[in-house]
Amino acid sequence: MFLLALVVGWQWEAWRVPERVDAALAVLIAVSLVAAFTLQDVVRSTDVLPHAGMLVDKVTLGPVRLVVAFLVATTLYGCFVRVLRWTRRDVLRPLVSTGARSLDAYVIQAVCLLAVPAMVLPRPWSNGQAMCLAVVVFAVCWAWAEIRVRFGIDKLHRLPARAVAASARRFDRRERVS
């Protein structure tokens, strides 16, 4: 899945992915709905059940899980783009800014939801704890995205060089004053 997403990301503009998703959105929604209503019954049927692990397993990323994940992500992307056309951007600013920094949000979420709670909050979590954690993590992701916009941090690998250059400028100013 990651490799497929990487290839699509590289070819995003060349393959005109946004236009193609927009043009096929009705079909994507229909296929997603059909998959949602039938897949669970098919996988649980007595004929398929012995092979269900191979088809939908999380660890080995079975082919059914792979196809459904790609289908759902593509359909949600198309729906979200359509909704953004109909609404003002500031209404959905938290989603837009966090989505623009989706890799950052993924890393923050992984750290916040896997590493930190495992050490701080014993599992299983109650529904209230899970909801609070989800809201707090989303707030952290949104805050980080807004900080990057506010301070013009476009690429994180450039951040150390910017910090060194800024401290060098401060050091030069101090020497001139002395």
Side-chain angles (χ1 to χ4, degrees), residues 3 23-24 32 35 37 39 46 51-52 60 62 87 94 100 105 119-120 123 125 137 141 162-163 170 175:
L3 184 58
S32 295
F37 290 130
L39 198 58
T46 56
H51 309 289
T60 59
T87 62
M119 293 179 242
V120 178
R123 290 187 185 171
W125 300 328
V137 168
C141 293
R162 281 182 154 180
R170 286 187 199 133
E175 282 187 354

Side-chain angles (χ1 to χ4, degrees), residues 50-129:
H51 309 289
M54 179 185 71
L55 295 173
V56 295
D57 189 54
K58 279 185 182 180
V59 177
T60 59
L61 194 61
V64 172
R65 184 175 290 269
L66 178 72
V67 169
V68 169
F70 190 75
L71 179 65
V72 167
T74 306
T75 304
L76 287 175
Y77 168 79
C79 291
F80 190 69
V81 167
R82 198 65 66 91
V83 168
L84 280 175
R85 278 191 213 131
W86 297 331
T87 62
R88 292 180 27 205
R89 281 206 176 264
D90 58 342
V91 171
L92 298 172
R93 183 179 177 101
L95 295 176
V96 172
S97 62
T98 304
R101 301 289 179 216
S102 59
L103 180 58
D104 295 4
Y106 176 77
V107 171
I108 291 168
Q109 169 223 280
V111 169
C112 290
L113 293 179
L114 295 176
V116 175
M119 293 179 242
V120 178
L121 288 174
R123 290 187 185 171
W125 300 328
S126 69
N127 289 342
Q129 286 174 320

